[in-house]
Amino acid sequence: MVCIDKATAVKMHDKVRVYWDKHRKELEAELATASAEDKPVLEAQIDVMKTTDMAVVVSQSQNEIAELEAKGLDIRPHRKRIVEEDLDEKFKDDKDPLRLVFVCAMWITGFDVPSCSTIYLDKPMKNHTLMQTIARANRNYPGKEAGFIVDYVGVFRNLQNALAIYGGGNTETEEPPIRDKSDLVEYLRHLVAVTVAYLAERKIDAAAIKQAQGLEKVALLADAVEALIETDEAKREYLAKARAVSRVYKAILPDPASSEFSPDVVLISVLAERIRSMMPKPDIKAIMQDVEDLLDRSVAPIPYETPDDPEVIDISQIDFDKLREKFDTGKKRTEAERLRALLNQKLTAMVARNPTRTDFLERFQNLIDSYNSGSHNIEAFFKALVKLAEDLSEEEQQAVREGLSEEEKAVFDILTKPEPELSEKERDQVKAVCRDLLQALKDEKLVIDWTKKEKARGAVRQAIEVILDGGLPDAYDEAVFNAKCDTLYRHVFDAYQGGGESIYAAA
């Protein structure tokens, strides 16, 4: 809270303390007679109020003790905390109980706390100081959808002037960065209405789902999900609407007006989360530039007859007959979506461990494209997915039949696919080269951070060429040999971090 002066900061702290404790006791009294549905919410509020710490943070001045005592205020306990405690670091730590501070000049400029969500203004400000103060709440942070400014003295009449000077844009035509909260409430009302209408267009009765109980509600939710995942485009459209509703709803909290929308927002969010739960876990490396999408989509899929750990998927353990039976008797789009998510995750891992498997990934993408374009109905799509899963299982078993480990099989496939043609004796010779090469690289060349050191990279490349040149059969001409060396080096670079770390060790 930004106060007009030091005395007001201390006085406001004392007043808030009194009313804070009073409200907590009122909640505790309400808890004793609350319904089972309301108790968890009240308990959470009481816990926050019990654990929240608050402090006054003001600069020191001469005679401050006497000056504040004349006003009936005691600055000494606050000054003691300021001197002895690292209050700025405590306030920056979102896990620390220090959640409320009273300031008048300190921390207004040059103090960055991304988790700070609310600022109370009780001090006239303008231009640079106003912009700097507003910026304290205008920082991105996980779980924070918007900053909230409470203006007690009408300083926002100066906002347009400040934006004209420091905003760098045309404030008459551009949407202002700060909006009245009532505007957000109306915007949320519009978003909820549009999303509920979208559900109704797909024969989903939102009111019936909200009123249902127990197994009836579970069944209605399953029917709704089945209708919402008809195509990838339909799925993305609904998730975009649900994400917009969720963001604006979070932005207006804890405004009492939020209670009007809670039942619809909960339903919309539950349906979205059920859809996301069937989507594949994304490749984090590919989406680090978009953290929001990572948070929205990184829910692991529900596997069929597989271990609980979503990172380890054994397709050979799937009972395909049982899978087909479940499809025939259940929600067909839902079952297809789950199998698709499992295959997506499995293929990503398989291709990372063996780059010659990219044809399976292309086949998978072609299936999805055909289904989305209407070339396949849901039955044909599911049948094709099952066939792909069976072929992937067969592919994984080949390493065992060849007498190779998975990483040896990856090197063997690179050296033998799509060329050259080899006899059984020559294939055995290539297998021996694979084993020797991997052992030599691990023992001598794949040191820690080798990919970042030019000399180490050169040593790895040279070892690959020397060992292959000395061990491969005559079927490899110069052009094929050079191509194999290039591909194998890229695979080793991607798969092995050095120091015993690799994608195979992780798996």
Side-chain angles (χ1 to χ4, degrees):
M1 180 164 190
V2 183
C3 303
I4 193 169
D5 57 26
K6 185 186 302 185
T8 304
V10 175
K11 185 179 294 186
M12 187 61 70
H13 169 274
D14 295 345
K15 284 182 175 291
V16 169
R17 279 282 190 191
V18 171
Y19 287 101
W20 190 276
D21 291 339
K22 179 182 178 182
H23 185 58
R24 177 177 56 80
K25 291 175 182 177
E26 291 172 349
L27 291 177
E28 289 172 342
E30 186 179 343
L31 180 63
T33 58
S35 65
E37 189 177 78
D38 294 335
K39 276 188 176 182
V41 176
L42 288 172
E43 288 171 348
Q45 290 177 328
I46 292 169
D47 182 64
V48 169
M49 297 196 77
K50 280 184 175 180
T51 58
T52 294
D53 182 23
M54 56 187 77
V56 174
V57 181
V58 292
S59 57
Q60 191 169 12
S61 61
Q62 291 183 344
N63 303 321
E64 66 177 4
I65 295 177
E67 290 176 359
L68 268 68
E69 281 183 342
K71 299 177 181 180
L73 304 170
D74 186 3
I75 188 66
R76 285 171 294 191
H78 304 295
R79 182 60 59 201
K80 185 174 186 293
R81 289 197 67 182
I82 295 170
V83 173
E84 296 181 357
E85 298 182 36
D86 199 355
L87 293 179
D88 56 345
E89 292 302 321
K90 288 167 70 72
F91 193 60
K92 290 177 182 179
D93 183 359
D94 64 351
K95 296 179 178 61
D96 193 277
L98 181 59
R99 303 185 183 110
L100 182 58
V101 292
F102 301 82
V103 304
C104 61
M106 292 180 67
W107 292 9
I108 289 181
T109 60
F111 183 66
D112 189 29
V113 185
S115 59
C116 178
S117 61
T118 307
I119 293 178
Y120 300 89
L121 295 180
D122 190 30
K123 177 179 182 177
M125 286 182 287
K126 59 183 179 180
N127 297 343
H128 178 264
T129 303
L130 175 59
M131 291 297 294
Q132 284 282 301
T133 303
I134 291 171
R136 297 312 98 204
N138 188 30
R139 298 277 279 106
N140 290 327
Y141 194 76
K144 175 182 169 184
E145 299 299 334
F148 186 35
I149 310 294
V150 181
D151 178 15
Y152 288 115
V153 291
V155 297
F156 281 106
R157 60 177 173 265
N158 298 318
L159 178 60
Q160 289 300 109
N161 291 334
L163 287 172
I165 298 172
Y166 301 103
N170 186 343
T171 59
E172 293 183 1
T173 59
E174 293 181 355
E175 183 179 354
I178 296 178
R179 298 173 60 184
D180 193 287
K181 205 167 188 181
S182 62
D183 293 344
L184 281 181
V185 172
E186 287 303 316
Y187 184 43
L188 178 60
R189 183 174 286 109
H190 165 74
L191 289 176
V192 168
V194 168
T195 307
V196 171
Y198 181 86
L199 295 176
E201 289 172 6
R202 281 145 187 82
K203 312 301 182 186
I204 299 170
D205 189 339
I209 298 176
K210 288 185 290 184
Q211 293 170 5
Q213 299 292 329
L215 294 177
E216 181 188 2
K217 176 169 283 190
V218 172
L220 289 174
L221 287 170
D223 290 340
V225 170
E226 180 80 357
L228 291 170
I229 60 174
E230 182 177 4
T231 64
D232 280 2
E233 183 180 357
K235 180 171 61 179
R236 285 193 296 267
E237 185 177 0
Y238 178 74
L239 290 178
K241 292 180 183 297
R243 187 157 51 245
V245 168
S246 177
R247 287 174 64 88
V248 179
Y249 178 74
K250 290 177 182 177
I252 71 169
L253 292 176
D255 195 290
S258 64
S259 60
E260 172 191 343
F261 308 102
S262 295
D264 286 320
V265 172
V266 168
L267 171 60
I268 292 167
S269 299
V270 166
L271 290 173
E273 194 58 33
R274 288 194 172 212
I275 293 172
R276 292 190 192 104
S277 71
M278 297 183 292
M279 295 171 66
K281 189 173 182 178
D283 179 1
I284 294 177
K285 293 179 182 178
I287 60 172
M288 282 301 290
Q289 299 301 313
D290 194 344
V291 178
E292 186 69 25
D293 280 352
L294 172 61
L295 294 174
D296 284 343
R297 301 202 307 266
S298 63
V299 181
I302 301 173
Y304 285 101
E305 307 294 331
T306 61
D308 291 336
D309 185 353
E311 297 301 328
V312 181
I313 300 175
D314 186 357
I315 289 184
S316 67
Q317 297 302 310
I318 296 177
D319 185 333
F320 288 104
D321 291 334
K322 185 176 179 181
L323 184 58
R324 293 185 185 95
E325 180 183 346
K326 192 172 183 181
F327 173 79
D328 291 336
T329 60
K331 307 294 182 187
K332 294 188 176 183
R333 292 193 193 106
T334 300
E335 298 305 321
E337 186 70 17
R338 284 176 175 163
L339 179 57
R340 169 183 165 179
L342 183 149
L343 290 175
N344 185 297
Q345 187 177 355
K346 184 62 179 178
L347 274 168
T348 300
M350 288 180 67
V351 172
R353 294 194 292 270
N354 188 334
T356 66
R357 293 166 172 164
T358 52
D359 55 330
F360 285 104
L361 200 57
E362 292 172 2
R363 177 177 158 192
F364 178 64
Q365 188 58 53
N366 289 337
L367 281 177
I368 295 172
D369 292 343
S370 295
Y371 174 66
N372 285 330
S373 66
S375 300
H376 284 71
N377 60 24
I378 189 64
E379 287 80 8
F381 180 54
F382 185 81
K383 183 178 180 180
L385 289 177
V386 171
K387 181 63 171 65
L388 177 58
E390 291 174 331
D391 291 347
L392 290 179
S393 179
E394 175 69 16
E395 164 67 17
E396 288 195 306
Q397 297 305 310
Q398 282 188 8
V400 178
R401 290 195 294 271
E402 295 280 5
L404 300 169
S405 67
E406 188 173 20
E407 56 184 328
E408 291 169 350
K409 176 70 162 48
V411 176
F412 179 76
D413 285 345
I414 290 171
L415 294 176
T416 59
K417 294 180 180 179
E419 57 179 347
E421 290 288 336
L422 299 172
S423 66
E424 279 302 315
K425 182 179 179 181
E426 288 173 327
R427 287 173 66 85
D428 290 339
Q429 187 177 345
V430 174
K431 291 177 187 178
V433 171
C434 294
R435 297 186 183 99
D436 292 343
L437 174 62
L438 285 174
Q439 193 62 50
L441 291 176
K442 291 179 181 179
D443 289 346
E444 304 170 8
K445 305 301 180 182
L446 300 180
V447 297
I448 296 176
D449 291 336
W450 73 272
T451 59
K452 301 177 182 177
K453 304 169 184 176
E454 183 177 355
K455 186 175 180 180
R457 294 196 300 270
V460 169
R461 174 69 191 220
Q462 184 180 31
I464 290 173
E465 293 178 353
V466 169
I467 293 173
L468 294 186
D469 186 47
L472 291 178
D474 294 337
Y476 291 82
D477 61 28
E478 184 177 357
V480 172
F481 176 84
N482 290 333
K484 297 297 184 182
C485 288
D486 290 341
T487 304
L488 188 53
Y489 174 76
R490 286 196 298 271
H491 168 64
V492 172
F493 187 93
D494 292 336
Y496 295 87
Q497 293 77 51
E501 297 295 325
S502 72
I503 59 175
Y504 304 100

